[in-house]
Amino acid sequence: MCSPLKRKSQSTTTKYLFSVLSIIIVLAVWELISILGIVPNFMLPSPVYVVKAFVSDFPLLMSHAMSTMLETIIGLVIGIAIGFFTALLMDRFLWLRRLLYPRIILTQTIPTVAIAPLLVLWFGYEMLPKIILIVIVVFFPITVSLLDGFSSADEDTIRLLRSMGANESQIFRYVKFPGALGNFFSSLKISVSYAVVSAVIAEWLGGFNGLGVYMTRVKKAYSYDKMFAVILLISAMSLILMLLVSLLQKKSMPWEQRKTASGSAADSSKLSQKSLRRR
């Protein structure tokens, strides 16, 4: 009988194999469509042409990607900080939650594409409007997820700590904050992908550097192979950021790993007992 760790390793390997296989199938179908001429090559360039465009413009793409990534990271840090302190205050003061929560929800009914031109008009073509747009996009999921995490803290545990003389900061440190980390990282994975896209959207409307500026230029030149190259680069940047968030989550929440391992061990023990009974 396989050990829990070995089964987990096999499951992870199988998952990655299926992911790689699905990507290969998509690329093969894409190449076949291009070879058969089902879609004109100037509208849907083959993966080979996209890779060639990526390699030929690699230094320029990296230069624009650095600008977009810098905007994304700055916007993420500011958005997370504002969202964290807003959720903290809303959890601490009920009147503030009742005042702010409907207004926070209302801000999400305004499309990002509608906000971006106004930000460019008000703040110019530099980095500031891009960062503000990213902060607006990141702020909502971080605030709502953290507030839900703080509110769902176990009331019995909180009462026990209060009976032992714990103050609000100690309750937050030992109960509410650890309990909200799962919600936080789930929303952060969404936020990092939205942040990159928001930066690119803001760059479409004006700027001097960034992948959005590059996309606008190659679109006007009808270089759709370069357009697809930058789309793949944006996707890769989002995936890398999401992977970094997952790694940070594992480091910040080691008890989740132990819980998973203990659960696997318990399942293995049950299976062993069943097999022994059958014998």
Side-chain angles (χ1 to χ4, degrees), residues 30 42-45 49-51 53-54 57 61 200 204 211-235:
W30 181 2
F42 71 91
M43 293 178 61
L44 183 67
Y49 288 119
V50 173
V51 171
F54 185 87
D57 270 18
L61 281 169
V200 173
W204 283 349
L211 293 175
V213 176
Y214 176 88
M215 289 181 75
T216 304
R217 291 172 182 172
V218 298
K219 185 186 73 171
K220 290 179 180 179
Y222 298 99
S223 301
Y224 291 110
D225 52 346
K226 295 180 180 180
M227 179 73 81
F228 275 94
V230 73
I231 289 171
L232 292 177
L233 179 57
I234 292 168
S235 300

Side-chain angles (χ1 to χ4, degrees), residues 113-126:
V113 179
I115 302 174
L118 295 175
L119 294 176
V120 173
L121 180 66
W122 292 337
F123 300 104
Y125 296 100
E126 297 293 340

Side-chain angles (χ1 to χ4, degrees), residues 19-263:
S19 300
V20 172
L21 183 62
S22 63
I23 293 172
I24 292 173
I25 291 172
V26 169
L27 291 175
V29 172
W30 181 2
E31 182 68 27
L32 186 62
I33 290 172
S34 180
I35 291 173
L36 297 176
I38 298 173
V39 179
N41 199 47
F42 71 91
M43 293 178 61
L44 183 67
S46 73
V48 175
Y49 288 119
V50 173
V51 171
K52 287 181 180 178
F54 185 87
V55 172
S56 64
D57 270 18
F58 185 77
L60 186 59
L61 281 169
M62 290 300 103
S63 175
H64 286 292
M66 289 295 292
S67 179
T68 301
M69 185 62 78
L70 181 61
E71 296 163 359
T72 301
I73 291 173
I74 294 174
L76 272 171
V77 172
I78 297 173
I80 291 169
I82 295 175
F84 176 81
F85 286 109
T86 303
L88 182 61
L89 292 172
M90 289 170 67
D91 178 70
R92 183 70 179 85
F93 303 105
L94 183 60
W95 64 268
L96 188 62
R97 181 191 300 193
R98 291 173 178 171
L99 178 67
L100 292 181
Y101 197 83
R103 289 159 178 79
I104 292 173
I105 298 294
L106 184 63
T107 61
Q108 298 307 300
T109 62
I110 305 172
T112 306
V113 179
I115 302 174
L118 295 175
L119 294 176
V120 173
L121 180 66
W122 292 337
F123 300 104
Y125 296 100
E126 297 293 340
M127 192 179 290
L128 182 59
K130 287 84 169 176
I131 293 174
I132 293 174
L133 184 63
I134 294 168
V135 170
I136 293 171
V137 170
V138 170
F139 168 76
F140 176 75
I142 295 294
T143 303
V144 172
S145 64
L146 280 174
L147 183 61
D148 288 344
F150 296 154
S151 301
S152 61
D154 186 60
E155 290 294 333
D156 291 334
T157 305
I158 292 174
R159 282 194 290 268
L160 176 62
L161 286 177
R162 281 178 178 157
S163 68
M164 297 171 67
N167 55 34
E168 291 299 325
S169 62
Q170 290 172 324
I171 291 172
F172 175 78
R173 178 181 177 184
Y174 294 111
V175 180
K176 290 189 174 183
F177 181 70
L181 280 177
N183 294 43
F184 168 71
F185 282 111
S186 296
S187 64
L188 186 57
K189 290 176 184 177
I190 299 170
S191 298
V192 293
S193 59
Y194 284 178
V196 177
V197 174
S198 299
V200 173
I201 289 173
E203 289 165 353
W204 283 349
L205 303 171
F208 306 103
N209 293 296
L211 293 175
V213 176
Y214 176 88
M215 289 181 75
T216 304
R217 291 172 182 172
V218 298
K219 185 186 73 171
K220 290 179 180 179
Y222 298 99
S223 301
Y224 291 110
D225 52 346
K226 295 180 180 180
M227 179 73 81
F228 275 94
V230 73
I231 289 171
L232 292 177
L233 179 57
I234 292 168
S235 300
M237 288 169 59
S238 299
L239 288 172
I240 290 170
L241 288 174
M242 291 178 69
L243 178 61
L244 291 175
V245 171
S246 297
L247 293 174
L248 181 61
Q249 182 177 6
K250 289 180 180 179
K251 294 292 183 181
S252 303
M253 302 175 66
W255 58 86
E256 289 292 331
Q257 301 297 315
R258 289 196 292 269
K259 189 186 296 184
T260 304
S262 62

